Amino acid sequence: MNSDKILESAQATLSGLIPFPQIVGNLIAEGVEYYYVDYASKSFTFYSAAGSTVQSPLSFEGLPLIAENFNVIELRAAILDSQQHGQKFRLFCQRAMNAGVQGYFVFLRGKRVTYFGRQGDQHTEWFSGAKPSDV
């Protein structure tokens, strides 16, 4: 993994200058298998299949505290606004934290995102068109 290229992708995510599908493509090209967004520590961690990692800060100021209770309805609304209306990542982060998301894994090869709440709650969202018919 080229850490400079991965950090560039993380910064592009924060700035909103590159669309999410392009960022995903860039990360896959750099050997990222999955990554974790940790709202508690305000960081990203990117993982390769070979076990290497790259960390980057989630450097938004003024993010809310992570809500105590996990609210899947609010989370799904935030996800849909990002997918269908181009909601900026910062606003998505605020809404996810207000919905009780403490962090989430984006599985690039697995084409899904699993969100976690503070009490162990979880919700998996498939990439568009990737959900198997038996799930």
Side-chain angles (χ1 to χ4, degrees):
M1 289 194 316
N2 181 325
S3 61
D4 290 336
K5 295 281 187 186
I6 292 167
L7 293 172
E8 285 175 17
S9 291
Q11 286 305 310
T13 299
L14 296 173
S15 70
L17 295 177
I18 299 175
F20 180 69
Q22 185 178 345
I23 290 170
V24 167
N26 293 348
L27 292 173
I28 290 170
E30 291 305 323
V32 174
E33 185 172 41
Y34 62 96
Y35 65 91
Y36 183 61
V37 176
D38 185 345
Y39 290 134
S41 69
K42 295 187 178 60
S43 66
F44 298 95
T45 305
F46 301 89
Y47 301 84
S48 76
S52 59
T53 62
V54 174
Q55 291 189 310
S56 178
L58 177 60
S59 56
F60 291 140
E61 296 292 325
L63 289 174
L65 295 175
I66 301 164
E68 184 176 340
N69 296 310
F70 192 71
N71 186 320
V72 173
I73 293 169
E74 288 180 17
L75 173 59
R76 297 233 38 239
I79 292 166
L80 285 174
D81 277 348
S82 293
Q83 292 171 338
Q84 296 176 357
H85 306 294
Q87 172 179 244
K88 296 293 183 187
F89 184 61
R90 179 186 179 82
L91 183 55
F92 173 78
C93 292
Q94 291 170 331
R95 292 178 69 188
M97 293 171 80
N98 285 331
V101 174
Q102 66 87 26
Y104 59 91
F105 280 100
V106 179
F107 298 98
L108 300 175
R109 282 190 320 120
K111 299 182 179 177
R112 69 192 95 176
V113 181
T114 301
Y115 300 88
F116 298 95
R118 291 174 47 191
Q119 300 176 46
D121 302 283
Q122 60 184 347
H123 170 72
T124 297
E125 193 74 28
W126 292 85
F127 288 13
S128 182
K131 183 175 182 179
S133 59
D134 63 339
V135 174

